[in-house]
Amino acid sequence: MVDENKNADFRELTRRLYDVISAPCDQRDWDAVRPLFHPRATMVRTGLDDSGQPFALVMSHDEYIANATELLKGVSFSETELRQEVTVFGNVARLASVYRFSYQGETSNYSGQGVNFFNLLNEGDGWKIINIVWDNERPGVSLQDARLL
């Protein structure tokens, strides 16, 4: 018997997500990607706070949408996938998606790279995102050093 999950291709999934986050200011269609998520999915933004201490903001999918909508209000923001690595084992998959981002706001403009780590599961109705955790490069944290580029 052939395991159809073995060769799962998640490029379309990440393309759809990056297209929504990269939509024009205040025109992001979050409902377009809602079917990709498990109802109990979590989103975890990580990084350093203003004092240099690590943080993790754990959100439901709806909390993430509200948070991202507020953070990106009036902002031109885009993400483009550079590379992805996938491991599938039975009904679970782990996906590392390396991306480049660009942020253009009224008072600041910057760009960089980061990685989204996805955990997905298949409960018989296709692959659903159960969790995404991400971080961006910064001094001392390099994708080159992590061998993800």
Side-chain angles (χ1 to χ4, degrees), residues 15-113:
R15 184 198 62 76
R16 288 175 62 189
L17 290 173
Y18 290 133
D19 281 354
V20 167
I21 197 70
S22 300
C25 295
D26 307 322
Q27 296 180 28
R28 294 175 178 92
D29 182 6
W30 298 109
D31 288 335
V33 293
R34 192 171 293 279
L36 302 176
F37 288 85
H38 187 277
R40 307 249 345 231
T42 58
M43 312 285 280
V44 184
R45 177 181 295 120
T46 66
L48 299 178
D49 65 19
D50 292 338
S51 68
Q53 295 299 309
F55 75 86
L57 177 59
V58 181
M59 302 166 275
S60 69
H61 187 233
D62 287 333
E63 290 169 331
Y64 165 76
I65 291 169
N67 180 268
T69 299
E70 183 62 29
L71 288 174
L72 299 176
K73 188 175 279 186
V75 169
S76 177
F77 181 82
S78 66
E79 287 182 341
T80 304
E81 186 171 67
L82 302 174
R83 180 174 172 216
Q84 70 171 237
E85 295 178 4
V86 178
T87 303
V88 176
F89 184 77
N91 294 323
V92 296
R94 179 185 65 198
L95 165 64
S97 175
V98 177
Y99 60 85
R100 176 178 300 122
F101 71 89
S102 172
Y103 177 101
Q104 297 176 341
E106 288 183 25
T107 60
S108 65
N109 297 320
Y110 55 92
S111 60
Q113 297 179 129

Side-chain angles (χ1 to χ4, degrees), residues 43-46 59 64 99 115-117 132-136:
M43 312 285 280
V44 184
R45 177 181 295 120
T46 66
M59 302 166 275
Y64 165 76
Y99 60 85
V115 63
N116 285 314
F117 289 100
I132 305 175
V133 180
W134 67 94
D135 204 346
N136 294 327

